[in-house]
Amino acid sequence: MARIVSKECCSIAAMKPSAPHDRIPVLIDCDPGIDDALALMVAAKYTAIAGITTVAGNVPIEHTTNNALSLCELLDLRVPVHQGAAGPLGGDHVTAEHVHGDTGLGNLHLSQPTTQIRTDDAVTFLNQHFLRNPGTRLIALGPLTNVALLLRQHPQVAEYIGGITFMGGSAFGSGNVTASAEFNIFADPEAADIVFKSTVPLEMVGLNLTHQVLMGERHGALLDKTNPISSAAITLLQSYQHLIASGSGVFDVPMHDPSAVLAVSHRELFGFKSRHVMVELQGDLTRGQTVVDERRTTREANMDVAYDVDIDSAITAIQSALS
Ligand code: RIB
Ligand code: CA
């Protein structure tokens, strides 16, 4: 088993077979989205999902919400789904149909959901849930619009939030939607700025981490095609690979959102470092870039940034959840 030790806090001890994991109670804010769908499968297996909120991101809000409802039925997740923001706090509304397909789940066509959203007011649900269940962790897998609205409309809730683990940004300032910006942050940089400047304990799982956890069709081939969840996962992996494939061929693709869920359920597989992270709001070339201060300054860190992961164990955990 790999041994990963980061030189600063939150190092990973020598890998030993991971003990059974307690199912941590979580809320999930997401924009399904192919990798969000895979992440919900991982969360369904390893966490105790108390509620799901949807946000516009990969595809418009009506699709992310419809997909969340359909995925809950596929996974037999009996949790409330609350619809959230239909667009960013500021700036242009960007989507990613070229990566996730027109309705957000690639070639996976789930039956129309029979369940309805609990409310179309994600912010009120989040606020009430945190006040009633202090210490709950939120896993944010899309643009941070709902989270920013929650903190702006209910500032006192920050002390009730156990922590936010978000998939977004990059420790090295690289991007996937532009050369310098990752999609979730680029889609709503003003929202990210509000969250980064809050007092909530934050964990960033950025592209520098998720591009270490690569999977594709070959991993799907090991799944049981007769199982409806595995069959859906196979289709999602195939779609993801082929939608991202470039002229240079088809290759394994980064498990962005599943990695963020594992950072909560399997924290022992990850190495974090405390850092001060800011987001660029202006630059023509750099709007949405996460700027991670690596200087050994006295500047107070505002989050833990994931740098290291036990790749084999992470992929094994994801595969186990998809089967
Ligand atoms: O940059 C990857 C992130 O943007 C993932 O959360 C993906 O689902 C998209 O939302
Ligand atoms: Ca997402």
Side-chain angles (χ1 to χ4, degrees):
M1 188 81 78
R3 173 182 169 83
I4 302 168
V5 178
S6 57
K7 297 176 184 56
E8 298 179 51
C9 80
C10 317
S11 62
I12 301 175
M15 287 292 104
K16 52 186 180 300
S18 52
H21 292 79
D22 293 335
R23 295 164 69 93
I24 298 172
V26 299
L27 295 173
I28 297 183
D29 186 70
C30 56
D31 62 331
I34 290 176
D35 60 323
D36 302 72
L38 295 169
L40 286 174
M41 294 178 183
V42 175
K45 181 175 178 74
Y46 298 124
T47 72
I49 304 173
I52 293 172
T53 52
T54 60
V55 65
N58 290 315
V59 288
I61 190 69
E62 55 272 17
H63 289 311
T64 60
T65 302
N66 199 58
N67 291 339
L69 290 169
S70 297
L71 288 161
C72 283
E73 292 183 17
L74 171 72
L75 299 171
D76 196 20
L77 279 177
R78 298 169 193 200
V79 301
V81 175
H82 295 260
Q83 182 170 286
L89 299 186
D92 298 335
H93 185 172
V94 295
T95 54
E97 286 90 346
H98 59 293
V99 173
H100 296 270
D102 292 342
T103 59
L105 295 180
N107 294 327
L108 178 63
H109 302 292
L110 297 174
S111 48
Q112 278 305 307
T114 57
T115 49
Q116 305 289 322
I117 55 171
R118 189 67 59 86
T119 73
D120 63 357
D121 186 353
V123 169
T124 298
F125 162 71
L126 290 169
N127 183 51
Q128 290 175 346
H129 188 89
F130 283 118
L131 295 182
R132 292 172 186 155
N133 306 275
T136 300
R137 178 164 290 274
L138 172 66
I139 301 175
L141 305 176
L144 292 168
T145 314
N146 290 337
V147 184
L149 287 169
L150 170 69
L151 294 170
R152 192 164 69 177
Q153 293 172 18
H154 306 281
Q156 81 291 342
V157 77
E159 61 193 79
Y160 291 83
I161 301 175
I164 298 174
T165 300
F166 68 94
M167 192 280 136
S170 168
F172 307 131
S174 56
N176 55 3
V177 69
T178 70
S180 51
E182 177 278 327
F183 177 84
N184 285 337
I185 307 301
F186 182 77
D188 198 343
E190 281 72 21
D193 190 48
I194 289 170
V195 176
F196 289 14
K197 291 175 177 172
S198 76
T199 58
V200 177
L202 301 175
E203 290 180 344
M204 175 171 125
V205 179
L207 298 180
N208 62 289
L209 190 287
T210 63
H211 276 263
Q212 299 178 54
V213 187
L214 302 172
M215 293 177 69
E217 214 163 354
R218 62 191 178 93
H219 296 89
L222 305 175
L223 302 179
D224 170 10
K225 295 175 180 56
T226 63
N227 172 303
I229 295 175
S230 301
S231 171
I234 291 166
T235 305
L236 289 166
L237 285 168
Q238 285 172 340
S239 302
Y240 204 21
Q241 243 183 334
H242 290 274
L243 280 159
I244 293 184
S246 69
S248 61
V250 178
F251 37 81
D252 287 351
V253 288
M255 292 293 107
H256 301 299
D257 293 341
S259 297
V261 173
L262 285 185
V264 175
S265 64
H266 294 66
R267 187 179 173 82
E268 74 279 2
L269 301 183
F270 294 77
F272 291 87
K273 296 176 184 173
S274 293
R275 288 289 184 270
H276 188 88
V277 184
M278 299 156 281
V279 57
E280 175 59 57
L281 300 178
Q282 303 303 326
D284 292 340
L285 300 176
T286 55
R287 174 168 164 81
Q289 183 177 43
T290 50
V291 180
V292 180
D293 196 335
E294 297 285 359
R295 296 171 300 171
R296 297 192 185 289
T297 62
T298 55
R299 170 177 265 180
E300 186 69 25
N302 61 344
M303 63 180 78
D304 287 339
V305 177
Y307 283 85
D308 303 303
V309 57
D310 176 344
I311 297 168
D312 292 345
S313 298
I315 289 175
T316 300
I318 293 171
Q319 268 188 303
S320 174
L322 304 186
S323 53

